[in-house]
Amino acid sequence: MDRGDLVPDEVIVGAIAERIDSEEAADGFILDGFPRTVPQAEALAAKLEELGRRLTAVLLIDAGDEEVMRRLGGRRTCVENGHVFHVELDPPEREGVCDIDGSELIVRDDDKPEVIRHRLGTYHEKTEPLIELYDHQSLLRRIDGGAPPDAVAEDLARTLATLKIENNV
Ligand SMILES: [Zn+2]
C-alpha cells in the first residue's frame, strides 16, 4: 500500500462481506473507495446477492489527473497529530507550522508527486473500467470533484438525500 499498490482482492472482499453481514450494516452501508477493480466488483455483486442485499447507487467524485495532483500534492500533514492543511485551499497561518499545535507540517509519502502518479496509473488501469460497468447498470451518479471542497460536500449530501427519497429508506 505504501507504494500505491492495491490489497489482494480475496482479503478485502472477505473483510467487507463480513462487515456488510453484521448488525451495524443492517440499515445500510457506504463503501468508501471500494470496489477498485472489476474482479472486486464482481466478487462484491456475488456476495451481496448471497446476502440478499444490493447496491443502491455508485457515487463517482470525478476529477482530472491535474486536479488530483493539485489536491493531493498540496496537502501538508502535521507530524504530531496528523492535522491536515492545503497550501492553496486551506493554508496554515505560518508556512510549515500547524495552526493547532505548532508542530511541523510535512508532505506524507502518499502525497509525493511520484506516488500520486503511480496511484493515478493504477486507477486508470484497474479502477476506471468500473465507471462504464456501473453506468450500464444505471447505478452511477457523477459528482464534480473539480468544484471547491464545500460544493463537493454539498453535492454529495444532496445526492445521498435524493437517493434516500427515491429508495424510500
Ligand atoms: Zn497539528
Side-chain angles (χ1 to χ4, degrees):
M1 285 187 88
D2 287 345
R3 295 207 331 270
D5 288 327
L6 301 166
V7 176
D9 288 352
E10 58 272 23
V11 175
I12 200 156
V13 173
I16 284 172
E18 210 169 282
R19 295 288 294 278
I20 289 172
D21 201 27
S22 73
E23 186 62 32
E24 64 182 336
D27 292 334
F29 56 90
I30 293 175
L31 303 174
D32 181 3
F34 182 88
R36 293 194 183 203
T37 67
V38 170
Q40 283 178 358
E42 287 166 349
L44 177 68
K47 207 67 180 173
L48 286 174
E49 197 175 335
E50 218 178 286
L51 299 172
R53 309 289 291 268
R54 69 186 178 87
L55 292 180
T56 309
V58 174
L59 306 182
L60 170 67
I61 302 176
D62 202 4
D65 287 9
E66 286 307 305
E67 189 61 20
V68 172
M69 291 292 293
R70 192 169 79 93
R71 297 281 177 108
L72 294 181
R75 288 211 295 203
R76 298 293 179 271
T77 307
C78 111
V79 288
E80 280 300 321
N81 296 297
H83 299 122
V84 179
F85 297 84
H86 192 281
V87 291
E88 285 171 61
L89 300 166
D90 183 21
E93 299 258 312
R94 272 177 55 212
E95 201 184 317
V97 180
C98 178
D99 287 353
I100 300 153
D101 53 35
S103 67
E104 189 197 349
L105 297 178
I106 56 152
V107 179
R108 290 187 325 152
D109 284 345
D110 255 9
D111 298 334
K112 289 184 174 150
E114 63 273 22
V115 177
I116 301 171
R117 260 192 291 277
H118 181 80
R119 289 164 72 194
L120 280 169
T122 304
Y123 172 80
H124 289 305
E125 187 194 336
K126 306 261 171 99
T127 307
E128 208 166 31
L130 291 177
I131 296 173
E132 209 185 318
L133 182 89
Y134 285 126
D135 203 16
H136 276 152
Q137 297 174 23
S138 301
L139 289 173
L140 196 75
R141 311 286 172 123
R142 281 176 197 270
I143 310 282
D144 177 13
D150 286 355
V152 175
E154 226 172 85
D155 199 357
L156 271 170
R158 222 185 358 253
T159 303
L160 288 173
T162 306
L163 286 167
K164 260 187 113 159
I165 293 165
E166 285 174 4
N167 290 278
N168 196 26
V169 290

